Amino acid sequence: MSRKINPFVFRLGVIENWRSRWFSPKQYKHFLREDYFLRDFVYQKFRKMGLEKIEITRSAHKLTVSIFTSRPGLIIGKGGGGVEALKNELEKKYDAIKIDPKAKVDLRVQIEEISKPDSHAQIVAQQVADQIEKRLPFRRVLKQSLAKTLQNKEVKGAKIKLSGRLGGSEMSRVEWLGKGKIPLQTLRANVDFAKANAYCTYGVIGVKVWIYKGEVFNDNLKIKNQNAK
C-alpha cells in the first residue's frame, strides 16, 4: 500500500500537519482553488532558490503565506524589497482568482529559513534536477547527492530515483541509488518524500527522493497506542 501512496499523505494527521490550514465547508472548493494557484505561482517563481514547502493559513479576514527556503536572502532582497514585491504580486494574483471581488483580505508573507537543506527531500530533488539539466553524468549526480544527504546525523536512510531518457538514450529507463533503511509501512517513521522534474532537450527526467529521519514519538501517538491496547 505504501508503495502506491505519497508518504506525506499517508502520515497526515499522525506525525504530519496539513500544508493548508483552514476550515470552511461552504467555501471549500473556492479556497482550494485559490490555494492551488497561489502555491503554484510561488513555486514556479522560486523553485530554484532552495524552496522546501509553502504553507497557507487562513482566518476570518487574513491570509498568511509561509515560504520555507534554504536561501531566504534571495527572496527577501535588499532592505526587504523582495518581500514587498512578492506581496504585491500575490495580492494581484489573489484579486484575479478570488470568488468575491468585494471581499477584503489582509494578505501576509512570511519567509522561514531551513537550517539543514540537505536533509529535506524537496530541496535535494530540485538540486538533482538542476544538475541533470546541466547535462552532468546522472550516476555521478546520484552518488554525490546521496553521500551529501547521508552526512547529516539525523538522516537514517535515503533513496534517489531517476526515470526517463537518462543520458539521452533512445529508450527510457529507471535508475536509483539508496542506502540505509526507509520504513514506508511504519506510520511513526518520519519519511520525507518529494518529486521534481528536469527539463532536458531530449525529454523530461523525473526525480523522486525519500529521506528517513528516524521515528517520531509524540503525545498524540502514545495516546492512540494506549487506546488501541
Side-chain angles (χ1 to χ4, degrees), residues 22-23 38 61 64 93 103 115 119-120 150 163 179 196 200 203 217-218:
W22 44 265
F23 181 76
L38 290 176
H61 300 287
T64 304
K93 184 74 174 178
S115 58
S119 64
H120 292 81
L150 292 172
S163 61
K179 189 174 182 181
C200 307
F217 294 94
N218 54 31

Side-chain angles (χ1 to χ4, degrees), residues 6-169:
N6 189 306
F8 171 77
V9 178
F10 190 49
R11 289 160 177 81
L12 266 178
V14 182
I15 63 171
E16 297 287 354
N17 201 355
W18 279 259
R19 300 284 170 85
S20 292
R21 291 190 284 275
W22 44 265
F23 181 76
S24 179
K26 294 182 179 180
Q27 300 292 331
Y28 179 83
K29 63 179 181 180
H30 304 303
F31 285 175
L32 181 64
R33 177 175 175 271
E34 292 171 3
D35 286 5
Y36 172 80
F37 282 108
L38 290 176
R39 187 174 277 111
D40 183 66
F41 174 78
V42 175
Y43 175 76
Q44 295 298 334
K45 188 176 180 65
F46 300 115
R47 69 187 183 94
K48 294 192 176 183
M49 295 185 183
L51 190 64
E52 200 269 328
K53 63 181 177 180
I54 303 162
E55 293 186 351
I56 298 176
T57 308
R58 294 174 184 265
S59 60
H61 300 287
K62 186 171 69 173
L63 174 64
T64 304
V65 180
S66 301
I67 302 173
F68 293 78
T69 175
S70 62
R71 306 171 72 182
L74 295 178
I75 300 177
I76 296 173
K78 188 175 181 180
V83 176
E84 289 298 324
L86 175 61
K87 181 181 177 182
N88 294 333
E89 291 178 357
L90 285 175
E91 286 178 345
K92 292 180 181 178
K93 184 74 174 178
Y94 183 74
D95 290 338
I97 62 176
K98 66 182 180 181
I99 189 64
D100 187 3
K102 297 181 180 179
K104 294 184 179 180
V105 177
D106 181 18
L107 194 148
R108 301 182 181 181
V109 178
Q110 294 181 351
I111 309 298
E112 304 287 345
E113 184 178 4
I114 299 296
S115 58
K116 298 179 180 179
D118 293 327
S119 64
H120 292 81
Q122 186 62 56
I123 297 177
V124 174
Q126 190 58 52
Q127 289 176 349
V128 172
D130 293 342
Q131 294 180 68
I132 296 295
E133 288 178 352
K134 295 177 182 177
R135 298 193 176 187
L136 294 177
F138 68 90
R139 288 192 179 88
R140 186 199 303 171
V141 172
L142 282 175
K143 291 180 181 178
Q144 291 180 350
S145 300
L146 185 65
K148 197 174 180 181
T149 300
L150 292 172
Q151 287 178 355
N152 295 276
K153 293 182 179 180
E154 61 180 1
V155 176
K156 309 297 182 183
K159 178 181 175 181
I160 304 175
K161 180 187 287 188
L162 303 178
S163 61
R165 295 181 57 188
L166 301 175
S169 61

Side-chain angles (χ1 to χ4, degrees), residues 196-216:
N197 291 327
Y199 298 94
C200 307
T201 56
Y202 44 80
V204 180
I205 303 297
V207 182
K208 292 183 178 180
V209 177
W210 294 261
I211 298 177
Y212 172 54
K213 305 176 187 177
E215 294 186 352
V216 177

